Structures are given as structure tokens and as C-alpha cells.
Amino acid sequence: MSRQASGVSITEQKFAEKLSLLVDKGNGILIRLYNIKKACQDPANRPSFLSEKSLESAIKHLVKKFPVAETKGATALQSLVPLQKDIMSALQNSYHTFVDVMEFKDVTVEVITAMASNGLLLDIRVNFGLTKSLLDLVTEYCSIMILLSTIEEKKALVALYNHAYDLNRGSSESSYPRLAQLIADYDNPVKKFSEDFGAISQFIFRALMSLTTVYVRRNISAEQMRKTQLLSISHTPNLMLQPTMSNELSCEFLSLERITRWILLCFLTCVNKLSEPGAFDLLKTALQDGFSVVICRDEVITIHTAYDNVLGSSKDKTDRKKASEVQEMAGQALQHAGAIHRDKRRYLRASLNELNMLLADAPGLLGPKMVTVLLALGMARDEIHWILRHGNTQPPKAKHKANPSDFQDNTLAELIYQTVELRNLTLRHRKIIQTYYRKYLGNYHASYLRDLAQKIPMAPELESVLMSSFVDTLMRLGGKEGETLKEFDLLPLRMDWLRMQAYTSTNRSSMKIQEHLQFAIAMNSISAHSSLVDELDNVLLEHVDLSFLYFYFKHMEGEFKKCLASEGDQAKYVTAIPAVCSFFLDCSSSNAPEERVTIGEKAVNFVHGLLEALAKQMSSLVKSHCEMRIDLSSNLLAMKAVGSYVHSYPDKVRFKDKKNLPPVITSGPESEKKNRATPGRTDVMTQKLVNLCWAINHYPTISVWDHTFRPREYLTPLLEDVFIAILTNLVSYQEVGENINIARPSEVLHKLKALIAAMRTLESYMSVDLTHELNQVMLQQTQPLDCKGNPTIAALYANWYVSVLLRKTSQGGILYSPSRKSFVSRSNNPFKAEEYSDRSELCALCELIGPYGVRLVGERLMEQVSSQTKEVKRLVVTNKDALMSMHQNKDKPELFAEAIKKLKNTEDLLTRVTIVGIVMAFRKLTLEALHSVLSKHTPFLLSAISSFHENPPVENPEITDDIAAASGITCNVDPLLTRVMALHCDRSQDDLTIWTLLLVYIGSALPELAFKPDSTYIPTLQAHENNAHCLAIAVHSIGGSIFSFYGEHHQKEKMKEFLVFTSSRLMKLGQEVEREKDGPRHREAIYLLLDLLVQMTPFISMDQLENCFPYALLRDSYSQVYRHPTATTKKGAQEVY
């Protein structure tokens, strides 16, 4: 090889091109080997042949004979014959990857040997690009061979493929003998490296030792960084606009982890040089940094074990002594490395935060201080990788045990956040950076390089052409041509400089680059600055590539959970974990395109899971916060003051149950604090929620692969569920046996206002329209079911009022009081109806459920009316003959008396009609409450609706009733009731007769109420004790709605007939009083029903009443029941209300 090298010129060797291609090729092979190993370890992706029991004996036989190729006639291999094509197809890629490893090994050793034979002198500070490429190549070589040795199934894969190939083609695969021997030799690769590079170890060693100055300067503690203000650009304000200048500028672009990896892996190829001055000291410094070194992605090697394996097995006493020192370094790394890196991360968090704030405010500083930014990003990336790598690697055995807390960091999310923010800030202002360095290259660098080139005497022709090309390229950047260009391509300049390094680094070159240090330093700086003009993305990818986090999913999920559980500021950085997933695709390689889809899908699913967990945590906190505010607000309710009143005035307040006195509730204890350093539960919850709100607002969108996530969209539906759950809890609807308990509407409304206040507070922290979401939920609560299919507030209250309040009213013990506009319970009734049905409670109900909810309540009420009407109609049909006779013979007392004796079920009729009246009375109360609420909230709209209702279209006046009833405006006939009655009315003449007879039936049954002891009239409530006054409401409602189908004429006529018929029946009660001792005691109370009916309905007037019923008699009845209210009641009856 040396003779060939001596006969070929250095320019024809093309070392620059070969190194670039080999480095890229090695990276691809490394990734393919990694994928083969992971596939073999994963049962889902593992080649099926390796898991089949029928092939187990054949595989063991091949592995046992390895590396010798087994003949086809072996009995144990007969099971492979029918599967030969399938095996070749499945294992072809893996086999050829191993062949590529063998060829890569040969070519790498050949190229490095040729470089050494040509006498290249490599120094990282002089020929930076060439030295960097060489060290990358050697590092990749070591990584490939180490990773190959860790694939347990490699022998089986290679032997299986070769045997199948032999069966199919008739001979072994041509590369198999050498490949099998390579695999067998490299079972312990670290011992083979010295043999592979033994002749050229001096060449690699010289390149390694050039790192000493750079590594010692860069590998400093956090305390030294603070003293030198390494990453601060504000400590010298007068130099803020001055660009970073250094003779080793390109070395500043190198990450410390990369240099450490070079040292630790490349020294394995030249272990025999560790006795050279400074060599072992450099290695020991690197060994103290940690015990885990990256091979590929999340595959690592315990480096102290590797060196102990190499040096400890040596026969040389010096090497064995070094092995013992390596073990000491392992103990020091376990003891001190964790604390050192923890301090570095603490310093980096503060420094990155300062850079983010300063550069966000003054992005123009990104130009002159870009080197500092890249240095900070690289250090942050190294520290993140260090903690993840060591936290997931088993420490080596040493005298001193590691402290597990040294390899854990609860603030890692903050460092990731600051790193991502600075990276995004840099990309956002790429135009500033590009323009700055374009002008920097075109002005300063162009003129400086031209002066340096003119000072180089007798430069060879090729080098002269290259230097002239450099100057011309830079001059064009500074001229008008550079200003008009939108895209730049300076890769040819950097590649030419790499070629020139190869031409001038040999000891046979007439122009030795070592003799022109200023030119080399200038070109290294130009190469680094030029990459900021046309390849800023690649530069950032090299310095702050966070795609390795993809391989630490479990650790990242753990960090995410820590942030969610944190009660401090770390919760602010929780979205940095899903945000960093947008970089995961950067870890995919063009050499393995098939893994791009897998990486993308896994990243998308991971982000989806994280955002769901974040949204659930936030919704839980929102729920807790709202419930806390509701509880605090509930303490301000008037009923909660009873405890304080009872305990403050024990002598004045008579409380029957002295043992179970209501508790004393005072407001304000939740705000009491012993000191500021100890936050209360409320403060902790609020601060945590504020932090999470800040986090979710900071990243409006997160792009991963071809998906765009909006974190707030995950929160919105959960907030809806939270509001629904809170509202359901506010109602406190419980079915306990036959009893149904529910909260008072005013209490629910009070708590709802507290919820709205809490929402408005949270809106100042969240970029989510919480009020809109709450309005959407409240709109759902006006319907029968919400979006989840659960009963709503309107449905629950409708069911309670119908099933509880109105049912208990119909059973007795509760009265409808027109004067109080409420239902009132007797004093001996533990259930207080007025607490749920007075004006304030019904107004609160209307505030909660709105017009739609009131309509739903009305529909439930009409269902009760419909069922009662159906039964009433059946009773009329049953008594049709008697009623018809009464109607036709009302002027014939004898026939009328005979007919009335034939009537049946009059008690049932009165009960059912009274229930209808009770239901319609409650319907009237809800409409009045709705009208009161709407008059406050929408007075102008209500005024317009009222005007529209008062002036309806002449041809169809009923068209306005629906909108009027929905607004709480009283109509002559309730439109909901009309729809219900339409189900029971076919509008025929026979049907009209039946409904006419219903009025006759009611009129004939009314006098019986006067004989009932519970027909007492209570003036204070303007109600009868048995709710007989609701009969007037029922007659108006049923008659008005039924006869509306036959026209307004029938409404007035039939109601007038009912008035005349009922008046004649009631006036006969006076005759019965004179004849019988036990006559109708409550005659006057029943007389009042006629007046109530006239006041209720618009279809009859007071003049019509006076024509058939003396007003003097009516006036006397009022006087009697108001002047002597106890005359017709039992003893003490007036005290029960």
C-alpha cells in the first residue's frame, strides 16, 4: 500500500472525499446494525425462524459448527430445505449489512493506512476538518465492531442465510468465509482494535493528542464557568456587539460529549501509546466524566469495563497498573461525576434563561454572539444526554457505590424547555444570522484572507487556485450579488478547504499548512461562519440534536409525570416534553428509510398520550379549584349564619335539639397563613393551575411528523365534562327509596355564580374561552339530555317538581296560594313546599334553565295534564247518558234530580280536575317567574315580543302565542296545553258534545265540595284547604283550550253555559242549609269559585256572572270568610299555616 501511495500523487488519493463518504457510510451501517439488534430483541419483529421450535435443533447445529459452513447432507438441517427461499428473503438485508461491516472495516483500515503512509500531520487546531473526519471515522469503526459483538443472534443469522443460499444456489455465498471469520474474531472487539491499527496507531495517537488543549479548556466545572462568565453576554455590556473571536473557533463548534467520545473510543485503537507523555492523563480526565459512552442511540458501553478488559489482560506490568488506575477512575466517576454534572445543569438553566430573555428582547445580538449561543446549546444537549444515559445504565462494579440521586434530575424538563426555546429563537431569526455572517464573510474575512494569501510566497499552482477561489467566493458575498441572492450554497468552499487540508498536511507538500497557522485559523473560522449562512439547520442539528430523547420514552414519560405532580415551578415546563417530540424524526437516517414511519407513528402516539394526561390533570385541577370556590361561596349563604346566631344568643334562641346545634362557619380561615414560606392548600392549587395554564398557552401548536397538535383542543372537551359534573353535583339530585331530594334552585344559582366567578379568574391565565364553554354546557342543561346522554338540570328539576312537589300537593298537606304566588305546606308537614316554589326560587330556576328549560318543564307538566284529561274524558263517557239528561232537563227539576242521582265517580272527577288545576297553577307560576327574569336580562326584546303579541295578525292571531308563552307572557290559552288537548279531541260533533258534558259534570259536582270539611277557605292564603280554588284554573284551562278548536264563539258560549249551570246548582245550597241540620258548612267558600273563574278567564265577564248569580250573595260570601275565618273550620285550623 505504501508503494502504491508513493507512486500516486496526494491529489489523486482524494482523502477528503473518502473520509466524508466513509463517515456517512459508517453512520448508515451503525444504524442498520442497531435496527437488527432491536428487531431480534423484539418478539413482534424478531425473524420467525429464530423462534420456531421445529428449527431450533438446526439453528443450534449451525451455530455450533460456526464459522465452518455445514454441508447440505446433515440430518439436523433437513428441516431447513423447504424454507430455503423464505429464509433468504427474510434474512437478506441482515446478511448484507454484516457484509457491509466487513467491507467497511477493510476500506477504513486501508484509507487510514494510506493517510499515515503519505505522512499527513493532523492537528485539530490547524487542519480541523480533516482531523475531525478522521476521529469520526475511527469512532464509528469502534462503535460498529462493538455493536456487532452485542448482537447475540449474529451467528445464527449469517449461518442460516448462507445455508439457505447454498441449498438454493448450490454453493456458499462468496463473502461467507471471511464474514464468518470476522464475526468469530470480534466476539471481544476491544482487544482486536490494537491489532487492526497497530501499524498506524501513532498516526491516530497524534491526532488524539491534539485534542489536549481544547479538551482541558472546555472540560471545566460549573464554578469555573461562573467565574469566567462563560455563557454570559451581558457581563461586559461594552463588548456585546463585538463578535466572538478565537484562534480555535471551529473547536468551539464541537460538543464536549463528542470530544470525550473521541478520546475514550479512539484510545482503544492505540492502547500501546498510553505510556506516552500526557496520553494517560488525557484518558483519565475523560474517564472521570462518567462511566457510560454512546455506541449508537441508546446502546452504550461501560467504558471502564472495556479498558479494564484490555489493560487487565495484558502481560505488561505497566498496563496492569493502568488497569487498577482505571478502576479508581470508575470509583471517582461514580462518586463525583453526578454532583459535577448536576452543578453544570444548574448553571446552564440560569444561563439559558438569561440568553432567552436577552435575545428575545434584542434578537440582533444573535449575529455577533452566535458562537456563545451554539456553545450553550451544545453544553445543554450534552448534559441532557449525560443524565439520561447514566440514569438508564447499570453502573460498573467499583469500591465506591454510586448515589442513585446523582443520576436523577427533577428539573430536567426546565433544561429541555430552555434548550428548545433558544433553538426555536435562533431559527425564528435565521435571517438576522444569515445576513450578519454573509456581510462578515464578504467584508472582514474576504479582505483578511486576501492579505494572508498574498503573504504566502511560492504557493503551488493548485493551492494558489484554491486560495483565489476562496477570496473570490467571499468577495461575491459582500457585493451586490450577495445581497440579491435568496439562497446560498457555500458547501463547495468548505469542501475545497477540506481538500486543501489534505494536500497541505503531508510532509511532502511544498506548502505545509503547519507553517501558515494564521491562514489555517482564518480558513477554519471562515468554514464555521459559512455554515451559518447556508446550513443553519444542519449546524443546530449537530449542536442541539435532541432526537436521542426518542430512545428514552419511559424516562421522558417519568419526567412528564414529575412535572404534572410538581407543586413548584417545574409544572410550567411540562409541555416541553411533548414539544421536544417534534425533533424525533431527526434521528431517522436515509440509510434506513423504513424506520421513519415507525418513529413518526410512535412519536405521534406518545404526544397524544402526554397531552391527554395533561388535559386530564388540568381538568381535575379546574374542577377542584371551582369546587373550592363554590364551597367558600356557600359559607356566605344566609342559612349558614344560623350556627353563629344560635351560639351567640343561647338565651334568646330556643333550639330544641341542644346536642346537635348547627356548626359555626366563619369566612376567612382559608386566607390565614403562619408565614409566607408555607403556602396554604388554596395557594398551592392555584399556583399549580396557573403554571399548567402557562405551559399549555406557551405552545399553541406542536408539530410532530405530519400531525399538528393543539394542546388546548385536548382540554376543551374535558372542561365541558368537568362543568357538567360540577353542575350535576350542584343540583344534589338523589333518589333515596321513594323520596327524591334536590337542592333549592336559589342555592344552585348562588353556587353557579361562584363557578362563573372562578371561570373568569381562570380565563386570565388560560387562552380558553371558559365562559363560552360554560354557556355551551348551560345551554345543554336546558334540554332533556346533555351531550353524554345524562339527565340535565332542567330534566332533573322537571322530574322533581312533577314527581315530588305536585304529587304531594295532590295528596294533601300542600296548598297553592295565589296571594303568595307559591305552594305552601302545613306547619305539621316536614316538607316545606315554599322553599322550592316561591317567586325567588322559581326565578332562580328560570335563571338556571332559561326559556328552553321552562318549556321542558311545561312539557312534563302537560304530560300530567294529558293523563288526567284522558281519565276525565273516560268518566264523561261512562256517565254520558246521565249528563245528557241533566243538560237537556236543567229546567225540569224532577228529571234533573233523577239524572243527577245516576252520576258516578264524582269524587274521582273532582280529584282529577283539581290535579289539572294544580298543575296549571304551577305552570302559571313558572311563566310569571320567567317573565320577571327576562324583563331584567332582555327588556327590549321582551317589549318587542309583548307588542307583537298584543297586535297579532288579523288572519291568524294565535301565531304569536308560542313566542309569547316562551317569554313568560300570559296567553288566553296556553299553546302547550292546546297541543296536548289536540291529542284527545277529534273536532267532531260527538266530541264537542262530550267536552260540553264535561262542563256539566264539573258544574254538577261542585256543590259536593261544600259538604267536605277540608273545603275551608283561608283568607291569608286566598286558598281552600283542599285546593278547591284550583278548579277554577282547571275549568278555564280545559275549556279554553278544548273549545278553541271550534272557534272563539264556542269558547265564550260554552263557558257562559257552564257559568249559568253552575250558578243555579250552587244557589240550591242555600235551600239545603235551611232543610238540613248538617247542611253545607262551606257554602260561602264554594261560592267564591265563580268569582275566581270570572277573574281567571277572559271568555266570561262579571256582568254575565251577576245576571245569573247575585253579586250581593257573592259579596256576603267574601265578608263571611274574611270576617269569621274560624267559623267554618275546626278548632285551631288557622294555626296550621
Side-chain angles (χ1 to χ4, degrees), residues 237-280:
N238 56 328
L239 299 178
M240 288 180 69
L241 298 179
Q242 182 176 332
T244 303
M245 305 293 289
S246 173
N247 290 337
E248 300 173 355
L249 186 63
S250 294
C251 297
E252 303 297 338
F253 280 55
L254 290 173
S255 70
L256 186 61
E257 179 187 325
R258 190 175 195 173
I259 301 174
T260 305
R261 190 164 174 255
W262 283 347
I263 295 171
L264 294 175
L265 292 181
C266 291
F267 261 123
L268 289 172
T269 64
C270 50
V271 177
N272 57 333
K273 299 296 181 182
L274 288 176
S275 299
E276 296 289 333
F280 195 59

Side-chain angles (χ1 to χ4, degrees), residues 105 141-151 154 182-197 265 268-269 271 295 301 306 309-310:
K105 172 185 176 297
Y141 174 88
C142 297
S143 299
I144 288 171
M145 304 315 293
I146 292 173
L147 185 58
L148 176 65
S149 68
T150 62
I151 302 176
K154 57 183 179 296
L182 173 72
I183 292 175
D185 292 343
Y186 277 82
D187 267 346
N188 191 0
V190 292
K191 292 184 178 181
K192 291 287 294 181
F193 292 152
S194 297
E195 298 179 15
D196 295 339
F197 297 97
L265 292 181
L268 289 172
T269 64
V271 177
I295 298 301
I301 181 177
N309 187 14
V310 175

